[in-house]
Amino acid sequence: MTRTVRTRTRRTGRIPIGLLVPAALGLVFLVLPLVGLLVRTPWSTLPQRLTEPGVLTALRLSVQTASLATLLCLVLGIPLAWLLARVSFPGRRVVRALITVPLVLPPVVGGVALLLVFGRRGLVGSWLDSTFGITLPFTTTAVVLAEAFVAMPFLIIAVEGALRGADTRYEEAAATLGAGRWTTFTHVTLPLVAPGIAAGAVLCWARALGEFGATITFAGNYPGRTQTMPLAVYLALETDLEAAIVLSLILLTVSVVILACLRDRWISSS
């Protein structure tokens, strides 16, 4: 015990001051805005503000659309991550670069791009409108698509990393025993990388929950239909600062609680 404490003390003593100071400043830089939000929160009127019309509607819509967007990302993103990790094909680097574009693309630009494709006069939207009478922009479905567009890279990167780090001998053993590619994928590969999938899904959900730019561009800001929590915060910020703070506090609390719970259960085990 004493030896362990001494070892930890020696390790702490060896931390270079050149790393410790910027690390501390970085922590303060990240935490201080959250502290400011908590300090300015109108705690005395918080219960009344939480029951105001529109708050629960925006929160419910945000959770629903973020969950649906995450489900869409899982269905489309896991096979894409598997292709990138396990299959060599021409242009794989280009495909990987294109997948990560939404990470650096301004969300508003992403919303404009979605409008040009899924809008009523878009590449796909005009066909959907003329053939099936389906109009996507400024609907709840548009919110899901916008959130999935900006959040899917987080899932793909996490799952591809898990697939690359997984031991392929289990898949080879399953193939040797006569299992087909699909059976190997569903019964061996997916359980093997489950922690990575869970981590990617958590990051994907959190990103979708906080999506703003692409959503307001592609889906608009209609209460009860497309107005998620970030959009409600933006609207409240122009008229009622305390309402914007309360909404921000709710969004912060939901994100931190869910991320903390899921991280302890899945991410740390990866």
Side-chain angles (χ1 to χ4, degrees), residues 82-83 86-87 171 175 178-189:
W82 182 84
L83 285 176
R86 297 297 168 81
V87 181
E171 298 176 355
R181 296 296 296 268
W182 177 252
T183 302
T184 302
F185 176 73
T186 56
H187 290 72
V188 178
T189 305

Side-chain angles (χ1 to χ4, degrees), residues 37 40-42 49 233 235-248:
L37 183 65
R40 294 293 302 274
T41 299
R49 293 213 175 253
V233 172
L235 185 64
L237 195 61
E238 296 179 339
T239 57
D240 189 349
L241 178 59
E242 289 190 349
I245 293 174
V246 171
L247 292 170
S248 300

Side-chain angles (χ1 to χ4, degrees), residues 53-59 62 211-212 216 220-224 226-240 243-245 247-248 251:
V55 174
L56 293 179
T57 301
L59 178 60
S62 294
E211 163 51 29
F212 175 80
I216 197 171
N221 188 8
Y222 300 101
T226 65
Q227 188 181 85
T228 57
M229 287 294 286
L231 272 62
V233 172
Y234 175 75
L235 185 64
L237 195 61
E238 296 179 339
T239 57
D240 189 349
I245 293 174
L247 292 170
S248 300
L251 200 58

Side-chain angles (χ1 to χ4, degrees), residues 64-81:
Q64 289 175 346
T65 54
S67 300
L68 290 174
T70 302
L71 181 62
L72 179 62
C73 292
L74 285 170
V75 172
L76 302 180
I78 291 177
L80 186 52

Side-chain angles (χ1 to χ4, degrees), residues 89-252:
F89 56 90
R92 185 169 65 171
R93 290 185 177 180
V94 176
V95 172
R96 184 178 289 117
L98 291 175
I99 289 172
T100 55
V101 165
L103 292 177
V104 297
L105 191 70
V108 174
V109 178
V112 173
L114 289 171
L115 271 176
L116 295 176
V117 174
F118 295 109
R120 296 189 65 177
R121 297 182 179 179
L123 299 176
V124 178
S126 59
W127 173 73
L128 291 175
D129 185 51
S130 60
T131 306
F132 303 102
I134 298 176
T135 303
L136 293 177
F138 309 109
T139 63
T140 305
T141 303
V143 178
V144 175
L145 292 178
E147 292 178 347
F149 178 75
V150 299
M152 192 181 291
F154 291 87
L155 175 76
I156 294 175
I157 291 173
V159 176
E160 185 188 357
L163 285 168
R164 289 183 176 278
D167 192 344
T168 58
R169 289 178 297 180
Y170 296 101
E171 298 176 355
E172 295 170 356
T176 304
L177 295 174
R181 296 296 296 268
W182 177 252
T183 302
T184 302
F185 176 73
T186 56
H187 290 72
V188 178
T189 305
L190 286 183
L192 200 61
V193 299
I197 294 175
V202 170
L203 295 174
C204 182
W205 189 88
R207 179 64 186 90
L209 188 70
E211 163 51 29
F212 175 80
T215 302
I216 197 171
T217 306
F218 183 49
N221 188 8
Y222 300 101
R225 190 172 64 183
T226 65
Q227 188 181 85
T228 57
M229 287 294 286
L231 272 62
V233 172
Y234 175 75
L235 185 64
L237 195 61
E238 296 179 339
T239 57
D240 189 349
L241 178 59
E242 289 190 349
I245 293 174
V246 171
L247 292 170
S248 300
L249 182 65
I250 295 173
L251 200 58
L252 174 65

